[in-house]
Amino acid sequence: TLETEALKADARKTENALPRVDFDKTETVCTTRWIRLDTLSYHVPLAKGDVATLRKWDRAVRTTKQSENSIDAVVILAILKNDVDDPTKDEIVCVKQFRPPVDAHTIELPAGLIDRNEDVADAARREFEEETGYVGEVIDVLPASY
């Protein structure tokens, strides 16, 4: 019947549905100068017409973010071209930094926060020079990744 076909179609939609976050239900647990701990609520659809379940997920968010989708930091992949004719002599620039959470030094790519109203490429140049002493040229800016 027509009603049965409609129910089957609804069930197929539910099976293929993706989880979704209800940002209106976000709870802030605590905040420090640089980090805010939030608890998100998200709905997970279930198969075959069952009601979606509500689940919780904790996340850490930098307080420097202007909005949910804003970009507030850069990571720089800098390649030193020691011999333009021989790419095997290229070197990747890394920095050694003490990180209290692991009570050790780490080897990382240069990175840092974007200042308010600063262009991504300008932030990358500034952070690269601050962290390494090198002055670089931005060749490409890739899309944001998480």
Side-chain angles (χ1 to χ4, degrees):
T1 69
L2 191 55
E3 185 176 322
T4 305
E5 291 304 312
L7 288 173
K8 286 181 183 176
D10 284 346
R12 280 192 299 275
K13 284 181 196 171
T14 302
E15 287 174 7
N16 296 326
L18 297 173
R20 65 178 179 75
V21 175
D22 186 348
F23 287 104
D24 292 334
K25 292 185 178 177
T26 300
E27 301 169 36
T28 298
V29 177
C30 66
T31 303
T32 68
R33 179 178 176 199
W34 299 107
I35 299 289
R36 182 181 73 241
L37 179 61
D38 289 345
T39 298
L40 299 176
S41 297
Y42 67 104
H43 301 275
V44 178
L46 301 174
K48 300 187 173 127
D50 290 340
V51 178
T53 59
L54 184 66
R55 295 188 181 166
K56 303 282 186 174
W57 186 275
D58 292 330
R59 70 169 180 177
V61 181
R62 279 194 293 268
T63 57
T64 54
K65 287 184 73 75
Q66 300 299 307
S67 70
E68 193 65 40
N69 297 318
S70 68
I71 299 168
D72 68 335
V74 293
V75 177
I76 301 104
L77 175 60
I79 301 172
L80 292 179
K81 297 285 194 182
N82 293 314
D83 183 343
V84 286
D85 297 323
D86 186 358
T88 64
K89 295 191 174 161
D90 291 353
E91 296 177 290
I92 294 176
V93 178
C94 294
V95 292
K96 180 179 178 182
Q97 300 197 50
F98 179 75
R99 295 297 186 189
V102 294
D103 192 23
H105 283 87
T106 61
I107 304 298
E108 322 172 351
L109 294 174
L113 297 176
I114 300 170
D115 291 341
R116 188 178 299 272
N117 299 321
E118 186 176 32
D119 176 75
V120 173
D122 291 338
R125 272 189 291 275
R126 177 183 53 76
E127 285 292 344
F128 184 63
E129 185 174 0
E130 285 177 10
E131 293 203 356
T132 68
Y134 286 111
V135 176
E137 174 187 352
V138 175
I139 303 297
D140 199 4
V141 176
L142 301 178
S145 63
Y146 303 94

